[in-house]
Amino acid sequence: MTQNGNSKQARAIRSVRRVHRITGIVLFVAFVFMSISGLLLGWKKNSGGFILAKSEKGTSTELSEWLPIDSLNAIAFQVFRDSISTVKMPELNRIDVRQNKGMIKFVFEEGYWGIQLDGATGELLQIERRWSDLIENVHDGSILDHWFHTNGGLKLIYSSITGLALLLFSITGFWLWYGPKRMRKRKQISK
């Protein structure tokens, strides 16, 4: 290859290095949050109940023996008011039925609270702080929608930018590794 070809490739590598460096500087904080939250999510089931609370067992796995969902719902809301907060009415995020454990879990929107009840008796099994939900919201950017009261738009922007940047990092990182190897090989061939 000619000297001109090597200088073109060297310019291309410098441009790629510049893009790689600027993208890294701009998105450093987002990547730190994504990597730490990703590590925590990977370890959530092995955290000894700190990140993800243990699902307790109820008395019966037979749904026919369970209290009606509306009764269990009323009990969960009462437990929330009695044990967590009397200030405001909680907003229910989801109901998680665990038939194989005889338990039903009520997950509330504010404060990442969860209440586990025995499906058959309605007895309180556990009040949990759902740190794994908070970590997931940080990881996927939906915490921004929660803070700014938007409807999924910020999460979409955050995940698109970080996903595209990670793809760009992979491509430019590969080229920063491969480009100089290719130049050295061409130099050896031309000698």
Side-chain angles (χ1 to χ4, degrees), residues 9-99:
Q9 190 166 0
R11 268 192 307 252
I13 290 172
R14 281 192 293 277
S15 296
V16 167
R17 187 175 290 127
R18 191 175 314 114
V19 168
H20 194 81
R21 183 177 58 244
I22 290 169
T23 307
I25 290 167
V26 170
L27 295 171
F28 172 77
V29 173
F31 285 151
V32 167
F33 279 115
M34 284 187 84
S35 61
I36 291 171
S37 60
L39 282 168
L40 290 172
L41 288 173
W43 280 89
K44 72 181 178 183
K45 289 187 178 179
N46 299 45
S47 69
F50 180 71
I51 297 173
L52 181 66
K54 180 182 175 228
S55 293
E56 299 297 329
K57 288 189 182 271
T59 55
S60 174
T61 59
E62 281 299 316
L63 290 177
S64 61
E65 298 174 7
W66 282 28
L67 294 172
I69 295 284
D70 64 333
S71 298
L72 293 166
N73 186 61
I75 294 168
F77 273 82
Q78 188 61 49
V79 168
F80 189 97
R81 284 189 292 276
D82 293 346
S83 303
I84 298 171
S85 175
T86 58
V87 177
K88 62 179 168 177
M89 187 64 155
E91 185 180 329
L92 190 62
N93 178 288
R94 68 183 177 275
I95 300 172
D96 186 4
V97 176
R98 300 284 177 95
Q99 180 183 359

Side-chain angles (χ1 to χ4, degrees), residues 15-16 24-25 27 30 46-48 72 94 102 106 117 134 143 153 177-178 185 189-190:
S15 296
V16 167
I25 290 167
L27 295 171
N46 299 45
S47 69
L72 293 166
R94 68 183 177 275
F106 293 84
L117 300 177
L134 172 62
I143 194 146
W177 168 79
Y178 180 68
K185 193 173 191 176
I189 290 171
S190 67

